[in-house]
Amino acid sequence: MPVLDRPLRHTLRLAAAAALSLACLSAQQAGAAPLPSSAPAGGAATGRAALSPERLADGVRGRDVVRHLRAFQRIADASGGNRGYDRPGFTRSVRYVAGRLAAAGYRVERQRVPYTDFDIAKERLSVRTGSGAGRKVPVLMTRFTPSTSAAGLDAPLVAPPRGKTGCAASDYDGVAARGAVVVLARDACGFGHQQQVAAQVGARAVVMYYPTPSPRNNYRLMGLPRGSYVLPMGMVSQTDGERLARRAAAHEGARVHLTLRGHDVRRTTVNLIAETSGGDPDDVVVMGGHLDSVPEGPGVNDNGSTAATVLQTALELAPHQDRVRNKVRFMWWGAEELLDVGSGYYVDHLSPAERGRIAAVLNAELLAPSNYGRFVWDPGTGGSHRIAGLFAGYFARHGLPYERQDPGAIGSDHLVFQEAGIPVGGLDGGNLQVKTPEQQARFGGTAGQMFDPCYHQPCDRLEAVDRTALDTNARALAWVLGELALKDGAVRGIRAAG
């Protein structure tokens, strides 16, 4: 999932799409117990015996999913450490998934998706005090924001006084911000708003950091919609950002040299699509997850964990695909990390009739972070609420704790279907949010730390995946898919709820 300001995400996606075309609900259950396993050691369905949701889930165990995660990790290791949407690792991931699907008997479609990417040519920051040599500070340019000149800019470094966030022009009272580079901590008012305020007081650029319990992490942000970002902007780690802010506050005459250079480039990604040969084509159940990582890491949890679960579910269903009651469409999205590019293109190019045939969409994100929670997406009403009830019932029967949260709490491909009026459901294990003591008591792990300290980092590797969370969440997704694919009642209930 991409790092974006949460407010007005719907507006941001629509604005981004236009630009690209042109160039807690609190119910929870207590206790936890391991799920029983009755499937053969290989995880494959045996023969053509009758399939049930329970049998389907038994074939999508954590150890079965891990085989695909190992493949994704090997791909990333052989591809510069990532499976980024515009990198060889993504192409190799597509090839791996498509090959497994074809071998299982599916007809695989590659939907070509044109999009506008943002290539970063140079991102450099150095800071100096007095006449000494500058100290280099790692910086990540925010995508789709303005560039500096080719030579970069040399300017004083300033920061709002302690306790001020840069969310209001008055925060800069007494600060010589005009002509300076401003260092800021990302605040709840949003980094887009913060850079606009910095521009109002005359700053030339913004250097920002994201405060988290993992202060050495750095997160590349995305500056969309385009017209809202008027200054060059780069991200540093919290450790470096706080050090820069202290220098600025000490009035030591700190100066920075900042070069941020990027430009648009047209590219094409792909969505992978494989659907069952059987099933009612007027009641289609979509199960999907994005296949790309950010270019800064291998993305084994985000979102290899879901992509691998969808793949294993498809493989387990393959021997029975001609006998499902409702048609199942498995999908792997491209360029989700650039704000749902693949899924947005898919939905935008569906006819009204085709949209109406989709009864439900299952999606998931970050199923198995090291400090995991278990969050069921539930808007509280409509067909999506009925899907959430399926997940809730599954977890309750197996004694697995969970919390409900609004589907918009974590941005991903399901939101474009939701915006189109299609019921959606799914899970996530948490990302940048910090686990509370109450959540520690519910899920285990460590309070005061992020659910996923490796989110969008190089450490998002197989060894950081929690196997227990992967096992329980993968099975839950497969079971709900089985309920929707194999039985009429669940889909009828979702349709009736609207």
Side-chain angles (χ1 to χ4, degrees), residues 127-135 154-156 247 251-256:
V127 57
R128 70 181 187 278
T129 304
S131 59
R135 185 182 72 85
D154 190 276
R247 283 198 175 190
H251 304 291
E252 296 174 346
R255 297 184 68 86
V256 295

Side-chain angles (χ1 to χ4, degrees), residues 66-83 93 96 297-301 304 458-465:
V66 161
R67 289 200 293 269
H68 306 305
L69 293 184
R70 287 197 185 100
F72 290 152
Q73 184 65 70
R74 287 194 297 270
I75 287 170
D77 290 343
S79 308
N82 69 82
R83 299 182 303 105
S93 297
Y96 172 80
V300 174
N301 184 44
C459 63
D460 185 6
R461 301 178 54 85
L462 180 59
E463 51 265 32
V465 165

Side-chain angles (χ1 to χ4, degrees), residues 252-487:
E252 296 174 346
R255 297 184 68 86
V256 295
H257 191 89
L258 178 65
T259 307
L260 300 172
R261 299 284 293 170
H263 62 277
D264 290 355
V265 58
R266 294 290 293 170
R267 288 199 169 98
T268 302
T269 187
V270 297
N271 295 324
L272 272 185
I273 307 170
E275 66 179 37
T276 56
S277 56
D280 186 348
D282 289 326
D283 279 324
V284 177
V285 180
V286 172
M287 185 185 196
H290 71 86
L291 190 53
D292 61 315
S293 76
V294 293
E296 291 75 37
V300 174
N301 184 44
D302 180 17
N303 197 24
S305 59
T306 300
T309 295
V310 176
L311 175 57
Q312 183 61 27
T313 305
L315 298 181
E316 200 64 25
L317 191 62
H320 310 271
Q321 61 169 303
D322 60 336
R323 291 181 292 156
V324 295
R325 196 171 293 274
N326 298 309
K327 186 171 288 292
V328 180
R329 187 170 298 152
F330 297 103
M331 304 198 70
W332 292 263
W333 312 111
E336 185 271 353
E337 296 292 359
L338 273 183
L339 190 52
D340 309 335
V341 167
S343 55
Y345 182 90
Y346 177 79
V347 172
D348 290 345
H349 286 76
L350 290 173
S351 69
E354 289 168 333
R355 291 188 187 192
R357 294 187 186 106
I358 299 176
V361 174
L362 301 181
N363 189 48
E365 279 278 357
L366 304 103
L367 289 178
S370 59
N371 195 32
Y372 73 90
R374 190 175 289 109
F375 301 99
V376 174
W377 303 339
D378 185 1
T381 60
S384 297
H385 180 57
R386 296 295 293 264
I387 300 173
L390 295 175
F391 283 105
Y394 178 87
F395 289 137
R397 287 191 300 277
H398 291 90
L400 292 165
Y402 67 94
E403 296 179 11
R404 300 185 192 232
Q405 69 177 7
D406 186 271
I410 188 163
S412 188
D413 301 291
H414 60 286
L415 296 179
V416 300
F417 288 92
Q418 180 176 275
E419 290 162 6
I422 300 171
V424 302
L427 306 168
D428 71 85
N431 62 342
L432 287 169
Q433 306 100 323
V434 176
K435 181 174 282 187
T436 67
E438 294 77 15
Q439 290 169 327
Q440 177 182 302
R442 188 171 302 130
F443 301 117
T446 306
Q449 299 296 315
M450 290 186 295
F451 288 98
D452 188 3
C454 287
Y455 174 71
H456 283 198
Q457 302 300 304
C459 63
D460 185 6
R461 301 178 54 85
L462 180 59
E463 51 265 32
V465 165
D466 187 284
R467 303 300 178 91
T468 298
L470 181 66
D471 183 68
T472 57
N473 290 338
R475 291 195 199 202
L477 277 166
W479 184 87
V480 173
L481 186 278
E483 282 287 302
L484 298 175
L486 303 173
K487 300 180 180 180

Side-chain angles (χ1 to χ4, degrees), residues 3-8 12 15-16 19 118 141-147 184 186-187 189-200 203-206 208 220-235 339:
V3 183
L4 281 170
D5 281 333
R6 185 175 298 169
L8 301 179
L12 290 181
F118 189 78
M141 183 179 184
T142 300
R143 287 191 177 91
F144 301 110
T145 56
S147 294
L184 296 169
R186 183 191 180 277
D187 187 75
C189 73
F191 59 86
H193 179 72
Q194 286 173 285
Q195 63 84 38
Q196 288 180 355
V197 173
Q200 290 171 18
R204 298 175 66 189
V206 169
M208 188 168 289
R220 190 186 298 282
L221 301 181
M222 195 149 35
L224 294 172
R226 296 283 189 125
S228 299
Y229 290 82
V230 295
L231 293 178
M233 180 171 156
M235 294 294 295
L339 190 52

